[in-house]
Amino acid sequence: MKIIRKLALGFAVAAATHITYAADTGFDMQTVDPEADRIALQNYYKSRFPDTELADYVNGIYSVDADSREQWVELEEFPPYEFDVEKGEELFNTAFANGKGYADCFENGGIGIRHKYPYWNKEEGTVKTLEQEINECRVKNGEEALKWSKGPIAQISAYMAWTSRDKVFDIQIPEDDPRAKAAYLEGKKFFYSKRGQLNLSCANCHLQGSNIRIRADLPGPQLGHVTHFPVFRSKWGELGTLHRRYSGCHRDSRSDPLKPQAEEFRNLEYFQSYMSNGLVANGPGARK
């Protein structure tokens, strides 16, 4: 009954701040206001967890649960992702067979740019993610694409994230291209849409369900959710990308899982990252 009361409270607060949306009804593109969405999300968490500073949401569940935070602080003394960052730096600086490298593919040589992803690519008419462009860099230079979820691509991404720590997310939705706002809207719809045999949405766990125990887990807040990826999860015993987590959540709802870097997942990342504008990148992270 205690969990039910907590969930009921979460739903009530969400409704009061206009956070929840009817996923089965259409949105008028003229009324979609991403900035109003972001402010409403912040206000929801200010009301829900008044003792948590907004800037601290980059730490996920550790920003709102004191017991979890204490364990995490101890873990961060010897972070389990440390060797992955070192390996990622090595891989990043290893030249391709043609003599070029990752630095040739990215702005600023790939250093300190994580907070700019994902972004809307007007020429291609799609959302581009960091991992997506890591693989595109490889293919363009005659190398095979890496597997999306773990291993080298997560390590390279982790190194690039490490070089971007404390840089502020500022994801843009270009006003001169309505397709960008449409992609944001599709990501928003995905977040609030129920799916799978369990009829769950992302919002059920990471908005209303923030810090409410599901079996042995405490779901982290939606605000700041993407800022600390890739993450080393104790459950995995290794480093994994954000889209690995998306696929896992999809399976947990007993849905047919989408593949990492599917358009739906890239749009979801676009929406979630915009919601974290104003927060800083602090990946890679460590989670249970």
Side-chain angles (χ1 to χ4, degrees), residues 15 59 70 77 95 102 137 156:
N59 296 317
E70 185 177 346
E77 291 182 8
Y102 294 105
C137 177
I156 295 166

Side-chain angles (χ1 to χ4, degrees), residues 113-132:
I113 61 172
R114 166 67 185 93
H115 61 295
K116 298 182 179 182
Y117 284 86
Y119 71 94
W120 176 254
N121 185 300
K122 187 173 183 178
E123 289 71 27
E124 297 183 27
T126 191
V127 172
K128 306 290 290 210
T129 68
L130 179 58
E131 287 82 10
Q132 182 184 22

Side-chain angles (χ1 to χ4, degrees), residues 227-249:
T227 60
H228 42 269
F229 277 85
V231 300
F232 187 102
R233 290 193 75 201
S234 301
K235 180 179 179 179
W236 295 338
E238 61 185 349
L239 195 72
T241 64
L242 175 62
H243 285 224
R244 178 179 181 179
R245 192 71 191 100
Y246 283 167
S247 294
C249 287

Side-chain angles (χ1 to χ4, degrees), residues 67-281:
D67 290 340
S68 297
R69 187 183 186 96
E70 185 177 346
Q71 297 173 20
W72 169 69
V73 169
E74 292 179 359
L75 183 65
E76 283 288 327
E77 291 182 8
F78 301 97
Y81 51 76
E82 188 172 18
F83 293 116
D84 288 301
V85 172
E86 292 177 359
K87 181 63 177 178
E89 182 178 13
E90 177 187 332
L91 291 169
F92 183 88
N93 290 314
T94 300
F96 302 136
N98 66 1
K100 294 187 176 182
Y102 294 105
D104 296 300
C105 296
F106 292 96
E107 173 190 354
N108 199 42
I111 302 302
I113 61 172
R114 166 67 185 93
H115 61 295
K116 298 182 179 182
Y117 284 86
Y119 71 94
W120 176 254
N121 185 300
K122 187 173 183 178
E123 289 71 27
E124 297 183 27
T126 191
V127 172
K128 306 290 290 210
T129 68
L130 179 58
E131 287 82 10
Q132 182 184 22
E133 291 204 328
I134 288 172
N135 260 342
E136 287 180 355
C137 177
R138 292 180 60 83
V139 172
K140 182 173 69 175
N141 285 284
E143 304 288 331
E144 291 186 2
L146 300 170
K147 293 183 178 180
W148 290 118
S149 297
K150 59 183 180 179
I153 200 165
Q155 292 168 328
I156 295 166
S157 179
Y159 167 66
M160 295 177 75
W162 179 262
T163 70
S164 307
R165 278 198 166 188
D166 297 327
K167 293 184 178 293
V168 179
F169 274 88
D170 185 22
I171 306 303
Q172 298 295 313
I173 303 175
E175 291 290 340
D176 62 347
D177 192 339
R179 299 174 299 173
K181 185 176 282 189
Y184 166 87
L185 177 57
E186 287 304 313
K188 175 180 172 180
K189 283 183 177 179
F190 191 96
F191 184 83
Y192 289 102
S193 295
K194 292 180 180 291
R195 63 184 60 85
Q197 292 180 348
L198 298 182
N199 196 35
L200 290 172
S201 69
C202 305
N204 287 143
C205 291
H206 295 290
L207 191 67
Q208 297 97 338
S210 301
N211 202 31
I212 296 176
R213 194 169 297 280
I214 300 176
R215 297 192 180 96
D217 295 324
L218 288 170
Q222 145 78 328
L223 184 60
H225 196 199
V226 301
T227 60
H228 42 269
F229 277 85
V231 300
F232 187 102
R233 290 193 75 201
S234 301
K235 180 179 179 179
W236 295 338
E238 61 185 349
L239 195 72
T241 64
L242 175 62
H243 285 224
R244 178 179 181 179
R245 192 71 191 100
Y246 283 167
S247 294
C249 287
H250 218 199
R251 283 192 298 270
D252 289 345
S253 68
R254 298 182 185 172
S255 304
D256 292 330
L258 298 170
K259 293 182 179 180
Q261 299 302 323
E263 183 178 21
E264 294 90 338
F265 282 168
R266 286 185 285 115
N267 289 342
L268 175 62
E269 183 177 346
Y270 193 41
F271 164 69
Q272 285 200 291
S273 298
Y274 187 91
M275 290 295 98
S276 289
N277 273 355
L279 300 180
V280 299

